[in-house]
Amino acid sequence: MSRAVYASDPAHTRGRRHPEQPAPTRSEFQRDRDRIVHSTAFRRLVYKTQVFLNHEGDLFRTRLTHSLEVAQIGRSIARPLGLDEDLVEAIALAHDLGHTPFGHAGQDALNECMVGHGGFEHNLQSLRVVDALEERYPAHDGLNLTFEAREGILKHCSRRNALRLEQLEPGGVGRRFIDGTQPSLEAQLCNLADAIAYNAHDIDDGVRSGLISIEQLQELALFERHHRQALAQHPDLPRRARRLLYEVIRRMLSEQVYDVIDATRALIEQHRPHSADAVRRAPTLVRFSSGMHAQASELKQFLFAKLYRHPQVMQTTGQAQQMVRELFQAYLADSAAMPADFAARQDRERAVADYIAGMTDRFAAREHERLTGARLL
Ligand code: MG
């Protein structure tokens, strides 16, 4: 399908904060995607935790492989809907750039350290990475991405931070959190593709780690249905457990992708947005059907309770949080322990948070050992 009227159009972007000449052959959203792929923060994703700490096994997802899977699922849905695939890919590849080392444990600890200094939100940090922290251009900080890519990267934002953003950039990417309007369909799609991706890959990683079992998963409607159908079609699969699991996950992924395409088409038909801006004034249009929404929620809740809150995961969580807290205290007490450009900054707490947030798991662990002498994890 060619570009739909409601898709974001790189020829009519709201533009970049620092105006640039168009590229001879690439669209504005292709350039955004390319800048993200070449960024330092993107390369660091390979050594950042998704759920399992990086050193726990080579086959578990990292932030990098998670982001690639989000991009794959996003593109699969974008094309039949006539959305801009390059913008979807750009947002998907950048959506987790602001994550701290050690996953959500690291982010929670850093947020606690920053109480009284503006807090720490990983979505806002992803925006900070592409707007301010990447150093690639002679004349400006950051990657100078288009409004549409930045809008999608800032997936959530507290009202307080939205008001602060609005002061710095009136009518900019913070505005929708004040007005209660929607982002582009490409951004809406990345939110859902993110959830589809982690629900699927966390089943795989969870079973691989031995923390959740096929028997437990069979209590979930979405898993059970595809498990039953896969076995009916391939009676020899019980003897090949890994192939059986992949077949079930593949079928679950496909059903969710087609469900989103159908449900979104129906909502677009109902609301008939005639432009990308009309999308922003409409309700959320990229959605699951209500039946699939319930099944995906059940799966998400299961993973939360049985995997993310598993005692074995929680044990590493405590140590990861301790590491982040102690790193924060060490750099605050002695800013010279950080590289010169961070040490020189006047906003000391924020400089420490930016430095820690950028670290990979293994770099953070090495720094922690260097500064405290203690070896955790
Ligand atoms: Mg994600």
Side-chain angles (χ1 to χ4, degrees):
M1 180 173 168
S2 57
R3 181 186 313 284
V5 290
Y6 44 77
S8 297
D9 184 349
H12 297 102
T13 168
R14 287 199 204 172
R16 304 177 190 277
R17 294 196 300 166
H18 307 279
E20 294 182 33
Q21 291 297 314
T25 57
R26 292 176 301 157
S27 83
E28 295 305 319
F29 300 150
Q30 273 182 288
R31 292 172 94 186
D32 285 346
R33 189 263 325 275
D34 298 349
R35 287 172 191 201
I36 291 157
V37 168
H38 287 282
S39 70
T40 306
F42 184 71
R43 284 196 300 284
R44 288 185 177 136
L45 294 178
V46 69
Y47 294 115
K48 285 195 173 193
T49 289
Q50 179 68 23
V51 172
F52 293 93
L53 297 183
N54 192 241
H55 65 265
E56 292 183 296
D58 288 349
L59 293 176
F60 295 125
R61 268 63 178 190
T62 66
R63 289 267 164 219
L64 180 68
T65 54
H66 162 70
S67 301
L68 294 171
E69 291 181 33
V70 176
Q72 181 276 316
I73 291 166
R75 290 191 77 130
S76 302
I77 298 172
R79 192 175 299 186
L81 292 175
L83 302 181
D84 191 282
E85 286 182 60
D86 297 317
L87 179 58
V88 167
E89 194 175 7
I91 297 169
L93 295 180
H95 84 283
D96 275 350
L97 289 181
H99 263 288
T100 60
F102 313 124
H104 280 280
Q107 115 116 12
D108 292 346
L110 199 51
N111 189 29
E112 273 171 40
C113 294
M114 289 296 284
V115 165
H117 307 287
F120 180 88
E121 292 177 22
H122 67 85
N123 284 296
L124 190 61
Q125 191 69 12
S126 296
L127 187 69
R128 272 179 73 68
V129 167
V130 299
D131 278 358
L133 296 175
E134 280 289 322
E135 296 183 281
R136 323 253 344 154
Y137 292 90
H140 58 73
D141 291 335
L143 303 177
N144 199 29
L145 302 182
T146 61
F147 171 87
E148 292 79 3
R150 297 174 57 242
E151 173 192 46
I153 290 168
L154 190 63
K155 171 168 141 183
H156 300 296
C157 185
S158 65
R159 188 176 168 82
R160 192 185 55 181
N161 282 326
L163 290 167
R164 201 156 40 200
L165 278 174
E166 179 65 15
Q167 271 188 338
L168 298 170
E169 185 191 357
V173 292
R175 188 58 173 269
R176 72 182 169 95
F177 300 98
I178 300 165
D179 292 349
T181 53
Q182 303 301 320
S184 70
L185 290 177
E186 287 81 0
Q188 293 180 33
L189 170 51
C190 285
N191 287 347
L192 208 48
D194 189 19
I196 295 173
Y198 63 65
N199 275 341
H201 64 50
D202 289 347
I203 291 179
D204 182 17
D205 287 354
V207 171
R208 182 185 301 281
S209 68
L211 299 186
I212 56 176
S213 67
I214 303 286
E215 290 69 35
Q216 284 177 305
L217 287 161
Q218 280 176 268
E219 289 166 24
L220 304 169
L222 184 60
F223 188 93
E224 196 280 328
R225 181 169 67 253
H226 290 292
H227 188 258
R228 186 166 25 86
Q229 289 172 2
L231 283 177
Q233 218 172 325
H234 303 282
D236 61 326
L237 272 182
R239 287 182 287 106
R240 305 152 104 189
R242 186 133 291 281
R243 289 189 195 209
L244 171 58
L245 181 62
Y246 282 135
E247 181 60 18
V248 178
I249 292 173
R250 173 179 16 263
R251 287 166 183 246
M252 285 172 55
L253 269 176
S254 295
E255 192 188 5
Q256 290 175 85
V257 163
Y258 295 128
D259 182 272
V260 172
I261 293 168
D262 292 343
T264 302
R265 272 194 182 133
L267 283 168
I268 287 172
E269 187 60 31
Q270 184 187 335
H271 291 274
R272 296 193 175 275
H274 51 80
S275 68
D277 268 335
V279 163
R280 294 185 171 89
R281 298 186 296 270
T284 307
L285 298 177
V286 181
R287 317 176 80 124
F288 283 129
S289 66
S290 58
M292 183 57 80
H293 176 78
Q295 292 171 49
S297 299
E298 185 191 32
L299 172 55
K300 185 176 179 165
Q301 283 160 19
F302 168 85
L303 288 170
F304 193 87
K306 304 294 181 202
L307 184 60
Y308 314 145
R309 289 278 176 268
H310 192 285
Q312 213 169 304
V313 174
M314 292 303 284
Q315 192 196 342
T316 56
T317 294
Q319 293 188 27
Q321 291 182 333
Q322 185 187 343
M323 251 198 272
V324 168
R325 275 196 299 271
E326 291 177 356
L327 278 175
F328 190 87
Q329 285 153 8
Y331 293 129
L332 208 55
D334 176 18
S335 51
M338 295 190 291
D341 45 344
F342 287 96
R345 277 171 49 180
Q346 298 300 308
D347 54 345
R348 288 186 56 188
E349 288 83 7
R350 184 59 60 190
V352 172
D354 284 340
Y355 184 49
I356 294 175
M359 293 179 180
T360 61
D361 291 11
R362 57 189 196 166
F363 182 79
R366 274 204 305 270
E367 273 293 279
H368 180 265
E369 191 176 349
R370 179 177 77 86
L371 293 168
T372 68
R375 177 175 271 184
L376 293 179
L377 293 170

